[in-house]
């Protein structure tokens, strides 16, 4: 096998190693950054739910209020852990993967330099060959060209050797980083999920211990309080009052009715029904079975 | 307290109960549907990562290939559990919350009907009052109006009583559903997170057992195989071959160089660096401290 061809295929193999690393590490980096962003969005959505649960709790009776607040606080805790997950993924997974961009650029520059040196050797050898064919008797010129070709060959050997060492170190670093980065990824995820299990267990107990009967009694007491002594009585009992001049109650009644207008009613009812669950179903299509 | 005013405030209290439920259940439904969609997107992104890990595994030496495939399979398993989470959230959390739309509409219609009956009573009472002032001597007219007002009052009492029962049942159902839906939410999340911990523990062991040294030896053997006998030798050893006519190696070299063009190099390097992590940071701003 010709030594120049051998060196060429050697450089090509090294180039493939770097190109491959570049391609896949780039993909890993971009996908994991996107995964982290989507995790952040999930956290944002859950934070909104926490807020609504808190608001809702404040409109309810003490029993349900306490339960809902505890539950919302647990849900908020999970989001705090999710936030820690996001920050750790950024620092220990995405940042190191991003550093690969710089490292790969440097190795690529080394390969380019090595190729330039290789090409120079080829040029010198071609020049020498031409001289030998055109002026086989010009010993001085041929001797000069031989010296140049020899020098170029020494340069190529040195450069290829240096590149082999660089790529070897690059590969070793790549394997170490790969193991470390994905181990960190798994650890970060594992810690988050373990914390979530812990917090949700507490949330489950909170919901289990909610005393619905007591809450319902509160509600009934409150409704009766609002009714005053308004046990549904037949009109005959109250008919004497009819002879008393009717106060201007009618003025206050329509204003209440107007406040609970039809538009408001309908738009709220719609908001419950307009949830675009179709989107979700669409996303599930094409899922592997 | 006037009985008509009392009935009015009773209906208003019931209306508030329903309006409140409508508002918050609508919010819970829409936020949880969005939470579920975002979970589905996270699953999609992780599925893409699984695919890339598999592709990458196939380009590597046996040791890393096996490790990466095992890791990718574990990551895929987590996504299968996430898919189950999405389906369960849809069936046991979002669907029941959506059913509230219909239930609330029915209760709202009952309230409207009750208000119409109340307004009719008020109208009859006003009519009666006017008659008493304008034609206090027209006993027959007054007597008729009194009968109408009495009938209207009986209707209102019956309707208000019926509404109180409806709203009581509505509230009981609301509390039961609330507890069940959020308990289901917590259970679904808990099961998912527990499964994720389990699978990631296995993934962690996979990565821990990866034999990096063996892999590196494979790499070196492969590189040396590619080099052939190309231990970096000084040119003096090979110089005799220089006198042999130089083959047309220069023709094959440029074609390889052209394949690894500059554009391809730069666009791949860019893809590693262009990860828009700023988005992620932006999302984290405004996060509670």
């Amino acid at each position: 096998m010709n030594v120049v061809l051998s060196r060429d295929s050697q450089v090509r193999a090294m180039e493939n190693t770097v190109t491959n690393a570049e391609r896949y590490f780039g993909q890993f980096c971009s996908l994991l950054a996107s995964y982290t962003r989507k995790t952040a969005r999930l956290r944002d959505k859950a934070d909104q739910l926490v807020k609504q649960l808190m608001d809702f709790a404040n409109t309810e009776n003490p029993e349900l209020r306490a339960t809902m607040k505890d539950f919302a606080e647990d849900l908020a805790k999970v989001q705090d852990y999710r936030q820690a997950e996001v920050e750790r993924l950024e620092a220990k997974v995405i940042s190191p993967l991003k550093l690969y961009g710089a490292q790969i650029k440097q190795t690529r520059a080394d390969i380019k330099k090595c190729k330039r040196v290789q090409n120079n050797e080829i040029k010198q050898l071609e020049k020498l060959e031409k001289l030998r064919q055109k002026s086989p008797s010009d010993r001085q010129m041929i001797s000069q060209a031989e010296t140049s070709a020899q020098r170029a060959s020494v340069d190529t050997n040195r450069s290829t050797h240096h590149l082999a060492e660089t790529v070897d170190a690059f590969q070793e670093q790549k394997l170490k980083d790969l193991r470390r980065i994905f181990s960190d990824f798994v650890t970060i995820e594992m810690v988050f999920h373990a914390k979530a299990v812990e917090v949700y267990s507490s949330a489950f107990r909170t919901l289990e211990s909610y005393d619905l009967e007591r809450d319902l009694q509160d509600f009934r007491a409150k409704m009766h309080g609002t009714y005053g002594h308004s046990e549904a009585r037949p009109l005959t009992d109250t008919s004497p009052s009819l002879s008393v001049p009717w106060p201007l109650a009618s003025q206050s009644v329509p204003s209440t009715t107007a406040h609970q207008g039809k538009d408001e009613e309908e738009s709220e009812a719609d908001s419950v029904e307009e949830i675009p669950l179709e989107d979700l179903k669409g996303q599930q299509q094409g899922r592997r079975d």
Side-chain angles (χ1 to χ4, degrees), chain A residues 7-258:
Chain A
R7 270 195 221 111
D8 176 55
S9 77
Q10 186 179 354
V11 171
R12 249 186 299 167
M14 291 188 277
E15 201 163 27
N16 280 343
T17 299
V18 176
T19 302
N20 218 36
E22 186 173 39
R23 181 182 159 190
Y24 286 107
F25 277 67
Q27 292 276 7
F28 296 157
C29 185
S30 128
L31 286 171
L32 282 161
S34 183
Y35 177 90
T36 307
R37 280 195 301 278
K38 288 192 190 317
T39 302
R41 282 191 198 120
L42 194 59
R43 174 210 63 203
D44 289 344
K45 205 40 78 177
D47 275 346
Q48 287 178 33
L49 182 59
V50 166
K51 207 199 157 299
Q52 287 298 319
L53 285 168
M54 285 291 188
D55 286 356
F56 172 68
N58 286 326
T59 69
E60 289 290 328
N61 293 327
E63 186 67 24
L64 185 59
R65 189 189 306 149
T67 303
M68 280 291 130
K69 278 195 173 172
D70 283 354
F71 171 57
E73 272 162 21
D74 280 339
L75 200 56
K77 248 186 238 166
V78 174
Q79 306 326 308
D80 287 341
Y81 286 125
R82 220 190 285 270
Q83 170 63 8
E85 177 200 3
V86 164
E87 282 167 10
R88 282 176 198 154
L89 285 175
E90 242 193 295
K92 302 195 99 188
V93 175
I94 299 158
S95 289
L97 279 169
K98 273 179 100 180
L99 282 181
Y100 257 85
Q103 201 161 337
I104 282 168
K105 251 188 184 160
Q106 185 51 51
T107 313
R108 274 225 175 276
D110 288 348
I111 290 174
K112 231 180 214 168
K113 200 179 148 198
C114 187
K115 276 180 163 179
R116 260 202 311 275
V117 175
Q118 271 189 340
N119 286 339
N120 183 47
E121 184 193 11
I122 289 163
K123 231 184 272 166
Q124 297 301 330
L125 287 170
E126 282 173 337
K127 203 174 152 191
L128 172 63
E129 191 50 34
K130 255 186 204 159
L131 264 180
R132 277 187 183 137
Q133 283 175 352
K134 283 190 176 168
S135 341
S137 55
D138 194 344
R139 297 318 260 131
Q140 203 194 345
M141 280 288 274
I142 287 173
S143 172
Q144 267 180 10
E146 273 178 353
T147 310
S148 294
Q150 219 160 346
R151 252 187 232 132
S153 190
V154 170
D155 280 354
T156 305
N157 272 329
R158 194 191 299 125
S159 173
T160 310
H161 195 80
H162 171 71
L163 185 62
E165 279 170 359
T166 302
V167 171
D168 190 271
F170 173 85
Q171 176 75 357
E172 185 170 358
Q173 196 58 45
K174 185 190 92 176
L175 297 179
K176 277 183 184 162
D177 285 355
L178 201 67
R179 182 174 59 180
R180 192 176 47 75
I181 288 170
F182 283 114
S183 291
D184 281 347
F185 172 80
V186 169
T187 307
I188 292 164
E189 293 291 288
M190 206 159 44
V191 167
F192 165 66
H193 289 299
K195 288 288 179 190
V197 170
E198 198 183 300
V199 177
Y200 277 129
S201 302
S202 139
F204 190 80
R205 283 192 298 274
T206 296
L207 290 170
E208 280 294 290
S209 66
Y210 164 58
D211 187 347
L212 192 141
E213 272 313 312
R214 195 170 151 189
D215 204 302
L216 211 51
Q217 276 164 25
D218 274 5
F219 174 77
R220 279 166 190 155
K222 207 168 143 190
M223 279 292 156
H224 282 275
T226 312
Y227 306 167
H229 35 223
S230 74
E231 280 304 306
R233 289 169 290 183
L235 184 63
T236 45
D237 290 351
T238 52
S239 55
S241 73
L242 281 178
S243 55
V244 178
W246 179 243
L248 294 172
S250 59
Q251 284 178 358
S252 71
V253 174
S255 73
T256 317
T257 324

